[in-house]
Amino acid sequence: MKQYEHPLIEAFDLTAVLHALSDPYRLSVVQKLAEAQPQPCGPLQAGRPKSSVSHHFMVLRRAGVVRTEVVGALHMNSLRDVELEQRFPGLLAAVLKAARSE
């Protein structure tokens, strides 16, 4: 069973987080997870090829934005919103607010 590596909160890098959130697809994943979590990859795929989705989730995981846990055959994704708030207070809320007003 595949397990994913997730950075410790101390390793969160502002540049990596902002890069992860700068892509429209990745931002849409974060918005969907902010509404309901955890969610499996399938509903978040938005018709994209699996390889593309895997890449985007890897970027989000490495930045510390999401956590992916394997539950049976599903890969369940959650926002690391509490950890992001501790490391960069107000950042995620500001990004999500700005995305809603576009």
Side-chain angles (χ1 to χ4, degrees), residues 64-82:
V65 177
V66 300
R67 175 175 299 282
T68 304
E69 301 292 335
V70 178
V71 180
L74 296 176
H75 294 203
M76 299 300 289
N77 301 284
S78 300
L79 274 181
R80 295 182 70 182
D81 47 352
V82 172

Side-chain angles (χ1 to χ4, degrees), residues 54-93:
S54 295
H55 166 75
H56 287 295
F57 273 93
M58 177 191 67
V59 171
L60 289 166
R61 268 193 307 277
R62 286 184 177 170
V65 177
V66 300
R67 175 175 299 282
T68 304
E69 301 292 335
V70 178
V71 180
L74 296 176
H75 294 203
M76 299 300 289
N77 301 284
S78 300
L79 274 181
R80 295 182 70 182
D81 47 352
V82 172
E83 293 108 317
L84 283 167
E85 181 62 22
Q86 289 174 345
R87 182 77 166 120
F88 306 115
L91 176 67
L92 186 59

Side-chain angles (χ1 to χ4, degrees), residues 1-12:
M1 174 165 49
K2 182 174 182 117
Q3 296 298 318
Y4 293 99
E5 292 185 24
H6 301 91
L8 298 174
I9 187 172
E10 301 83 27
F12 288 9

Side-chain angles (χ1 to χ4, degrees), residues 13-24 26 55 59-60 63 65:
D13 177 71
L14 181 59
T15 304
V17 171
L18 291 173
H19 170 73
L21 296 172
S22 70
D23 179 84
R26 291 192 294 262
H55 166 75
V59 171
L60 289 166
V65 177

